[in-house]
Amino acid sequence: EPEVTQTPSHQVTQMGQEVILRCVPISNHLYFYWYRQILGQKVEFLVSFYNNEISEKSEIFDDQFSVERPDGSNFTLKIRSTKLEDSAMYFCASSVVTGGRNTIYFGEGSWLTVV
Amino acid sequence: AQSVTQLGSHVSVSEGALVLLRCNYSSSVPPYLFWYVQYPNQGLQLLLKYTTGATLVKGINGFEAEFKKSETSFHLTKPSAHMSDAAEYFCAVSVPGSARQLTFGSGTQLTVLP
């Protein structure tokens, strides 16, 4: 079964450093997403991406964050100047609409620890 | 805007007992509803979904959920719990046309007792 794959699975970074989280969505999917889950809290939507542009973003997704689909297969989340409160599990997801129905598939997550 | 409420952050059941995880939603338009499961140190796995049609939907691992519009609920059930069902379960709602993003509930941790 096709999967969304994410790298790295775990990254530790110093406060103020830039981090890039990488994702390979399912190959025929057209919608891409990033979500995050701070330890012990609910999964929160960050951003959705379609047709090479952001289609929606939450209030969490401020200027510190950016997304890119650099080469037609990868989908990246960049966090500039990381803060302690950015420590979380970041989930990439992708979806395709078939028959008017959309199902979102998630990757295994990238656990980011900012120290 | 849509929202999801999961009643009970922790639920414990005995092995072989009925599992009932509660989810209520709020949406101004007919929603799509989902249940995801998260095992320790793993990602989110889709259990089942409701979009249109039959209100009782069956998912993987013997789980099912029923969409009740009058109660704005989408409770998850399984007739007989297994030890391997221990995990965190998230209910989520999607509103068609809203860039297709999901809004998640706060999750319910299911413990299965031997």
Side-chain angles (χ1 to χ4, degrees), chain A residues 31 33 35 37 40-45 48 55-56 89 91 95 97 100-109, chain B residues 4 32 34 36 38 41-44 46 49 51-53 88 90 94 98-107:
Chain A
Y31 298 85
Y33 313 82
Y35 288 77
Q37 184 183 28
Q41 298 185 24
K42 67 169 65 177
V43 179
E44 302 172 294
F45 168 76
S48 59
S55 48
E56 192 166 343
M89 178 77 88
F91 291 105
S95 71
V97 177
R101 300 177 183 184
N102 180 58
T103 300
I104 298 177
Y105 294 88
F106 286 83
E108 293 282 309
Chain B
V4 176
Y32 295 161
F34 305 80
Y36 285 86
Q38 185 179 32
N41 302 314
Q42 293 189 28
L44 295 162
L46 179 68
K49 63 179 178 180
T51 53
T52 58
E88 185 144 26
F90 292 93
S94 169
S98 177
R100 312 184 192 281
Q101 54 128 318
L102 291 169
T103 299
F104 283 84
S106 52

Side-chain angles (χ1 to χ4, degrees), chain A residues 45-63:
Chain A
F45 168 76
L46 291 178
V47 65
S48 59
F49 192 86
Y50 172 72
N51 200 26
N52 287 320
E53 62 183 20
I54 291 173
S55 48
E56 192 166 343
K57 59 183 181 179
S58 71
E59 61 276 7
I60 302 169
F61 194 88
D62 59 21
D63 292 344

